[in-house]
PDB file of all heavy atoms in Angstrom:
ATOM      1  N   ILE A 279       0.856 -21.092  -7.294  1.00  0.00           N
ATOM      2  CA  ILE A 279       2.104 -21.733  -6.895  1.00  0.00           C
ATOM      3  C   ILE A 279       2.147 -23.197  -7.269  1.00  0.00           C
ATOM      4  O   ILE A 279       3.212 -23.847  -7.238  1.00  0.00           O
ATOM      5  CB  ILE A 279       2.344 -21.564  -5.368  1.00  0.00           C
ATOM      6  CG1 ILE A 279       1.234 -22.241  -4.564  1.00  0.00           C
ATOM      7  CG2 ILE A 279       2.530 -20.118  -4.990  1.00  0.00           C
ATOM      8  CD1 ILE A 279       1.548 -22.363  -3.089  1.00  0.00           C
ATOM      9  N   ASP A 280       1.016 -23.757  -7.690  1.00  0.00           N
ATOM     10  CA  ASP A 280       0.966 -25.189  -8.026  1.00  0.00           C
ATOM     11  C   ASP A 280       1.929 -25.526  -9.146  1.00  0.00           C
ATOM     12  O   ASP A 280       2.361 -26.700  -9.261  1.00  0.00           O
ATOM     13  CB  ASP A 280      -0.431 -25.572  -8.444  1.00  0.00           C
ATOM     14  CG  ASP A 280      -1.411 -25.627  -7.312  1.00  0.00           C
ATOM     15  OD1 ASP A 280      -1.213 -24.875  -6.332  1.00  0.00           O
ATOM     16  OD2 ASP A 280      -2.382 -26.404  -7.335  1.00  0.00           O
ATOM     17  N   LEU A 282       4.933 -24.195  -9.822  1.00  0.00           N
ATOM     18  CA  LEU A 282       6.337 -23.877  -9.592  1.00  0.00           C
ATOM     19  C   LEU A 282       7.215 -25.108  -9.563  1.00  0.00           C
ATOM     20  O   LEU A 282       8.397 -25.044  -9.906  1.00  0.00           O
ATOM     21  CB  LEU A 282       6.487 -23.101  -8.259  1.00  0.00           C
ATOM     22  CG  LEU A 282       5.731 -21.765  -8.168  1.00  0.00           C
ATOM     23  CD1 LEU A 282       6.031 -21.108  -6.790  1.00  0.00           C
ATOM     24  CD2 LEU A 282       6.116 -20.831  -9.305  1.00  0.00           C
ATOM     25  N   ALA A 283       6.671 -26.206  -9.117  1.00  0.00           N
ATOM     26  CA  ALA A 283       7.441 -27.420  -9.001  1.00  0.00           C
ATOM     27  C   ALA A 283       6.504 -28.653  -9.072  1.00  0.00           C
ATOM     28  O   ALA A 283       5.303 -28.513  -8.828  1.00  0.00           O
ATOM     29  CB  ALA A 283       8.218 -27.467  -7.693  1.00  0.00           C
ATOM     30  N   ASP A 284       7.055 -29.804  -9.385  1.00  0.00           N
ATOM     31  CA  ASP A 284       6.232 -31.012  -9.432  1.00  0.00           C
ATOM     32  C   ASP A 284       5.717 -31.376  -8.037  1.00  0.00           C
ATOM     33  O   ASP A 284       4.653 -31.957  -7.929  1.00  0.00           O
ATOM     34  CB  ASP A 284       7.070 -32.195  -9.982  1.00  0.00           C
ATOM     35  CG  ASP A 284       7.424 -31.993 -11.449  1.00  0.00           C
ATOM     36  OD1 ASP A 284       6.692 -31.227 -12.159  1.00  0.00           O
ATOM     37  OD2 ASP A 284       8.439 -32.582 -11.904  1.00  0.00           O
ATOM     38  N   ASP A 285       6.488 -31.037  -7.025  1.00  0.00           N
ATOM     39  CA  ASP A 285       6.144 -31.342  -5.641  1.00  0.00           C
ATOM     40  C   ASP A 285       5.531 -30.087  -5.020  1.00  0.00           C
ATOM     41  O   ASP A 285       6.207 -29.044  -4.876  1.00  0.00           O
ATOM     42  CB  ASP A 285       7.394 -31.760  -4.878  1.00  0.00           C
ATOM     43  CG  ASP A 285       7.073 -32.301  -3.472  1.00  0.00           C
ATOM     44  OD1 ASP A 285       6.058 -31.866  -2.891  1.00  0.00           O
ATOM     45  OD2 ASP A 285       7.866 -33.089  -2.956  1.00  0.00           O
ATOM     46  N   PHE A 286       4.252 -30.152  -4.620  1.00  0.00           N
ATOM     47  CA  PHE A 286       3.597 -28.956  -4.070  1.00  0.00           C
ATOM     48  C   PHE A 286       4.232 -28.485  -2.773  1.00  0.00           C
ATOM     49  O   PHE A 286       4.260 -27.319  -2.452  1.00  0.00           O
ATOM     50  CB  PHE A 286       2.102 -29.308  -3.802  1.00  0.00           C
ATOM     51  CG  PHE A 286       1.300 -28.126  -3.298  1.00  0.00           C
ATOM     52  CD1 PHE A 286       1.108 -27.020  -4.082  1.00  0.00           C
ATOM     53  CD2 PHE A 286       0.709 -28.170  -2.041  1.00  0.00           C
ATOM     54  CE1 PHE A 286       0.355 -25.925  -3.634  1.00  0.00           C
ATOM     55  CE2 PHE A 286      -0.017 -27.078  -1.587  1.00  0.00           C
ATOM     56  CZ  PHE A 286      -0.208 -25.963  -2.375  1.00  0.00           C
ATOM     57  N   TYR A 287       4.810 -29.427  -2.005  1.00  0.00           N
ATOM     58  CA  TYR A 287       5.518 -29.059  -0.789  1.00  0.00           C
ATOM     59  C   TYR A 287       6.648 -28.090  -1.076  1.00  0.00           C
ATOM     60  O   TYR A 287       6.846 -27.053  -0.409  1.00  0.00           O
ATOM     61  CB  TYR A 287       6.052 -30.332  -0.092  1.00  0.00           C
ATOM     62  CG  TYR A 287       6.724 -30.052   1.209  1.00  0.00           C
ATOM     63  CD1 TYR A 287       5.988 -29.902   2.380  1.00  0.00           C
ATOM     64  CD2 TYR A 287       8.129 -29.993   1.298  1.00  0.00           C
ATOM     65  CE1 TYR A 287       6.633 -29.661   3.628  1.00  0.00           C
ATOM     66  CE2 TYR A 287       8.786 -29.746   2.497  1.00  0.00           C
ATOM     67  CZ  TYR A 287       8.016 -29.584   3.650  1.00  0.00           C
ATOM     68  OH  TYR A 287       8.637 -29.332   4.859  1.00  0.00           O
ATOM     69  N   ILE A 288       7.430 -28.384  -2.120  1.00  0.00           N
ATOM     70  CA  ILE A 288       8.534 -27.494  -2.516  1.00  0.00           C
ATOM     71  C   ILE A 288       7.998 -26.199  -3.024  1.00  0.00           C
ATOM     72  O   ILE A 288       8.515 -25.095  -2.743  1.00  0.00           O
ATOM     73  CB  ILE A 288       9.404 -28.181  -3.569  1.00  0.00           C
ATOM     74  CG1 ILE A 288      10.052 -29.428  -2.962  1.00  0.00           C
ATOM     75  CG2 ILE A 288      10.429 -27.244  -4.152  1.00  0.00           C
ATOM     76  CD1 ILE A 288      10.821 -30.296  -3.951  1.00  0.00           C
ATOM     77  N   ALA A 289       6.893 -26.256  -3.800  1.00  0.00           N
ATOM     78  CA  ALA A 289       6.316 -25.054  -4.387  1.00  0.00           C
ATOM     79  C   ALA A 289       5.845 -24.054  -3.314  1.00  0.00           C
ATOM     80  O   ALA A 289       5.987 -22.846  -3.455  1.00  0.00           O
ATOM     81  CB  ALA A 289       5.124 -25.394  -5.277  1.00  0.00           C
ATOM     82  N   VAL A 290       5.315 -24.564  -2.196  1.00  0.00           N
ATOM     83  CA  VAL A 290       4.860 -23.705  -1.121  1.00  0.00           C
ATOM     84  C   VAL A 290       6.017 -22.838  -0.604  1.00  0.00           C
ATOM     85  O   VAL A 290       5.906 -21.621  -0.458  1.00  0.00           O
ATOM     86  CB  VAL A 290       4.265 -24.522   0.025  1.00  0.00           C
ATOM     87  CG1 VAL A 290       4.025 -23.677   1.263  1.00  0.00           C
ATOM     88  CG2 VAL A 290       2.929 -25.146  -0.419  1.00  0.00           C
ATOM     89  N   GLN A 292       8.834 -22.127  -2.100  1.00  0.00           N
ATOM     90  CA  GLN A 292       9.294 -21.189  -3.145  1.00  0.00           C
ATOM     91  C   GLN A 292       8.427 -19.922  -3.197  1.00  0.00           C
ATOM     92  O   GLN A 292       8.953 -18.783  -3.276  1.00  0.00           O
ATOM     93  CB  GLN A 292       9.280 -21.900  -4.517  1.00  0.00           C
ATOM     94  CG  GLN A 292      10.354 -22.948  -4.669  1.00  0.00           C
ATOM     95  CD  GLN A 292      10.326 -23.596  -6.027  1.00  0.00           C
ATOM     96  OE1 GLN A 292       9.287 -23.520  -6.738  1.00  0.00           O
ATOM     97  NE2 GLN A 292      11.372 -24.256  -6.427  1.00  0.00           N
ATOM     98  N   GLN A 309      -3.905 -28.441   2.588  1.00  0.00           N
ATOM     99  CA  GLN A 309      -2.582 -28.951   2.325  1.00  0.00           C
ATOM    100  C   GLN A 309      -1.522 -27.860   2.373  1.00  0.00           C
ATOM    101  O   GLN A 309      -0.427 -28.025   2.881  1.00  0.00           O
ATOM    102  CB  GLN A 309      -2.557 -29.664   0.969  1.00  0.00           C
ATOM    103  CG  GLN A 309      -1.269 -30.401   0.684  1.00  0.00           C
ATOM    104  CD  GLN A 309      -1.296 -31.098  -0.674  1.00  0.00           C
ATOM    105  OE1 GLN A 309      -1.974 -30.631  -1.605  1.00  0.00           O
ATOM    106  NE2 GLN A 309      -0.582 -32.185  -0.822  1.00  0.00           N
ATOM    107  N   HIS A 313       1.707 -27.836   4.849  1.00  0.00           N
ATOM    108  CA  HIS A 313       3.061 -27.715   4.298  1.00  0.00           C
ATOM    109  C   HIS A 313       3.804 -26.491   4.844  1.00  0.00           C
ATOM    110  O   HIS A 313       4.988 -26.574   5.201  1.00  0.00           O
ATOM    111  CB  HIS A 313       3.011 -27.648   2.764  1.00  0.00           C
ATOM    112  CG  HIS A 313       2.641 -28.934   2.104  1.00  0.00           C
ATOM    113  ND1 HIS A 313       2.689 -30.133   2.765  1.00  0.00           N
ATOM    114  CD2 HIS A 313       2.261 -29.206   0.832  1.00  0.00           C
ATOM    115  CE1 HIS A 313       2.320 -31.120   1.928  1.00  0.00           C
ATOM    116  NE2 HIS A 313       2.061 -30.561   0.736  1.00  0.00           N
ATOM    117  N   GLN A 495       6.194 -25.684 -14.484  1.00  0.00           N
ATOM    118  CA  GLN A 495       5.099 -26.162 -15.313  1.00  0.00           C
ATOM    119  C   GLN A 495       4.371 -24.959 -15.946  1.00  0.00           C
ATOM    120  O   GLN A 495       4.417 -23.874 -15.466  1.00  0.00           O
ATOM    121  CB  GLN A 495       4.115 -26.979 -14.482  1.00  0.00           C
ATOM    122  CG  GLN A 495       4.722 -28.199 -13.773  1.00  0.00           C
ATOM    123  CD  GLN A 495       3.757 -28.872 -12.841  1.00  0.00           C
ATOM    124  OE1 GLN A 495       2.628 -28.470 -12.731  1.00  0.00           O
ATOM    125  NE2 GLN A 495       4.200 -29.909 -12.180  1.00  0.00           N
TER     126      GLN A 495
END
Side-chain angles (χ1 to χ4, degrees):
I279 61 169
D280 289 28
L282 299 182
D284 292 337
D285 188 333
F286 184 64
Y287 183 81
I288 295 173
V290 169
Q292 288 181 342
Q309 188 180 28
H313 288 345
Q495 301 174 1

